[in-house]
Structures are given as structure tokens and as C-alpha cells.
């Protein structure tokens, strides 16, 4: 028995792009374009009417932009998988699309294989970004993580070391920290040893005092 086709709505205000997508999809048997839309309002209406598996959504649509249209589409039809297609690959736009619920993000000009892979992956419930976009997403999150680390006390500590210090500052033993974080007591001890070195302290009590003074925990300092 043949697998059911992936139903698709194409939402883009550029006729040339829509025609190019249709030309690509005419070469495959597993994807069926059920509607086209030239603005965000029409895209929402098409999704409500046809309840497609996947929506190819341009970010820069008239009347209602692609981000807003994605949110509206998913509010009405949560099972739809939206793949954003746009000329804009800046991290902020990608992040906005992700927050809106998009499962993929392609830059216009992506090759045939990449586009088909994104549609099929979205239909399976997976998330797929083209290579260039994926790199920008990673850079965006890495930069944000680095900024958060610099803003907190003891930025020289890794995330794991900081997490362990926080637990220790709350009065937890190595065994308790291990159970809380899913680590062995030995792993906790090794990380804690590196914490002592980086904080330039010689023992647990001094580390706790330093953590409390930095505002990591609200418990009284050990005497």
C-alpha cells in the first residue's frame, strides 16, 4: 500500500519563487501542493481550509508577516509543520521563527535536495535547517550562552562546575549533588577540585564562603 502524500501549502508573494517550487515538486510523487497563498492572511485561511501536513512560509509576506502567520496557523492547526523560506538568514529572524513554532528554516536559493529534505523532515516531525542557517543558529546561542556566563559570578567556571558549586553552596554533599545532577560522586569530586583551583581556595568551606559572598546562595556562611 502506497504511503499517503505529504500535503503542502506554499505561501510566498513572489510568483517566480512559487513557480520554481511547483516545478521542483512536480518531479516527486510524495508531495502534493494543495494551495498557494500570496500573503499572510491568505496563508492562515489556506491552512484552516486544507489542514496541510507542511507549510512553506515566506518571512516577508504582506498583510501579515510570516512569523505572525506561522503563529496563527499553528494556533488553528497545531499539527501543521511550518518551514520558513526567506532571503533573511540573520540569527534574530531565525530565532523568531523558531519561537513561533517553525520546524525548518531555508534560505531562498537552497538546492532541490535541501528543500525536499526539509519538507519531508518537517512532515516526520523533525527539525531541519540548511547548513548556513544552522551555523548562524549555533553562533547565536553560543554568543548568548557566553554573555550569560560572563554576567554571572565566576565566569571562569564551566556550566557544569558552576552548577556543582551552586549545589555545594546550598549545603549538599558530593553524593547528594551527584544524585541531583545524575553524576557519580567521583565526577562531582573532580569538578569540585577544579572549582577550588579556579576560585583559588583550598577546601569546600572556603568555596562555600566565596559562593555566598558572590550571592550564589542565601544560606548563612559556615563558621
Amino acid at each position: 500500500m502506497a504511503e499517503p502524500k505529504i500535503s503542502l501549502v506554499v505561501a510566498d508573494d513572489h510568483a517566480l519563487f512559487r513557480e520554481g517550487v511547483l516545478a521542483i515538486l512536480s518531479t516527486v510523487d510524495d508531495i502534493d501542493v494543495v494551495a498557494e497563498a500570496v500573503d499572510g492572511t491568505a496563508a492562515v485561511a489556506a491552512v484552516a481550509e486544507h489542514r496541510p501536513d507542511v507549510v512553506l512560509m515566506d518571512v516577508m509576506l504582506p498583510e501579515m508577516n510570516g512569523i505572525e502567520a506561522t503563529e496563527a496557523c499553528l494556533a488553528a492547526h497545531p499539527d501543521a509543520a511550518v518551514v520558513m523560506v526567506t532571503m533573511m538568514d540573520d540569527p534574530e529572524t531565525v530565532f523568531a521563527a523558531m519561537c513561533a513554532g517553525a520546524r525548518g528554516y531555508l534560505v531562498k536559493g537552497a538546492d532541490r535536495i535541501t528543500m525536499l529534505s526539509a519538507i519531508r523532515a518537517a512532515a516526520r516531525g523533525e527539525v531541519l535547517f540548511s547548513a548556513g542557517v544552522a551555523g548562524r543558529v549555533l553562533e547565536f546561542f553560543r554568543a548568548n550562552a557566553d554573555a550569560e556566563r560572563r554576567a554571572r559570578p565566576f565566569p571562569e567556571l564551566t556550566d557544569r562546575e558552576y552548577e556543582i558549586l551552586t549545589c555545594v553552596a546550598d549545603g549538599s554533599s558530593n553524593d547528594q549533588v551527584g544524585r541531583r545532577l545524575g553524576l557519580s560522586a567521583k565526577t562531582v569530586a573532580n569538578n569540585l577540585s577544579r572549582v577550588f583551583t579556579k576560585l583559588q581556595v583550598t577546601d569546600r568551606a572556603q568555596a562555600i564562603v566565596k559562593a555566598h559572598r558572590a550571592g550564589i546562595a542565601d544560606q548563612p556562611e559556615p563558621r
Side-chain angles (χ1 to χ4, degrees):
M1 184 175 178
E3 291 288 330
K5 289 187 176 183
I6 298 168
S7 56
L8 177 74
V9 167
V10 180
D12 196 290
D13 58 331
H14 294 94
L16 189 61
F17 177 77
R18 294 197 310 275
E19 291 170 4
V21 171
L22 294 177
I24 290 174
L25 297 180
S26 68
T27 65
V28 299
D29 298 325
D30 61 330
I31 302 173
D32 182 26
V33 178
V34 296
E36 299 176 48
V38 298
D39 59 55
T41 302
V44 175
V47 169
E49 178 181 354
H50 297 280
R51 303 185 70 79
D53 299 313
V54 182
V55 184
L56 277 183
M57 182 84 73
D58 186 15
V59 169
M60 300 301 293
L61 289 173
E63 294 194 22
M64 179 188 294
N65 67 47
I67 303 296
E68 296 167 337
T70 294
E71 292 175 340
C73 287
L74 294 180
H77 180 31
D79 292 336
V82 178
V83 177
M84 307 302 296
V85 186
T86 180
M87 295 297 293
M88 304 168 61
D89 63 347
D90 60 279
E92 291 78 11
T93 303
V94 177
F95 184 67
M98 293 172 63
C99 289
R103 290 188 190 168
Y105 197 103
L106 297 174
V107 176
K108 286 184 177 179
D111 60 39
R112 173 182 178 277
I113 293 176
T114 300
M115 177 176 289
L116 293 176
S117 295
I119 294 171
R120 289 164 178 155
R124 293 192 300 268
E126 301 171 4
V127 176
L128 182 68
F129 294 93
S130 59
V133 171
R136 288 181 178 272
V137 171
L138 291 174
E139 289 174 7
F140 180 77
F141 284 112
R142 188 179 296 114
N144 281 353
D146 289 343
E148 290 179 4
R149 187 178 294 114
R150 289 192 297 271
R152 76 188 185 195
F154 313 126
E156 65 272 23
L157 300 181
T158 66
D159 291 341
R160 175 63 77 194
E161 291 165 355
Y162 185 83
E163 196 173 24
I164 288 174
L165 175 62
T166 300
C167 293
V168 168
D170 285 338
S172 299
S173 67
N174 285 9
D175 286 338
Q176 290 170 327
V177 174
R179 287 195 296 271
R180 181 171 169 182
L181 301 181
L183 304 172
S184 68
K186 182 178 180 181
T187 297
V188 173
N190 289 340
N191 276 274
L192 202 51
S193 177
R194 290 193 291 273
V195 169
F196 294 165
T197 300
K198 291 181 180 180
L199 297 189
Q200 298 181 352
V201 299
T202 58
D203 57 32
R204 191 187 202 90
Q206 290 180 5
I208 293 174
V209 169
K210 205 158 187 176
H212 288 170
R213 288 176 177 169
I216 289 179
D218 296 326
Q219 295 185 1
E221 296 180 2
R223 297 182 180 278

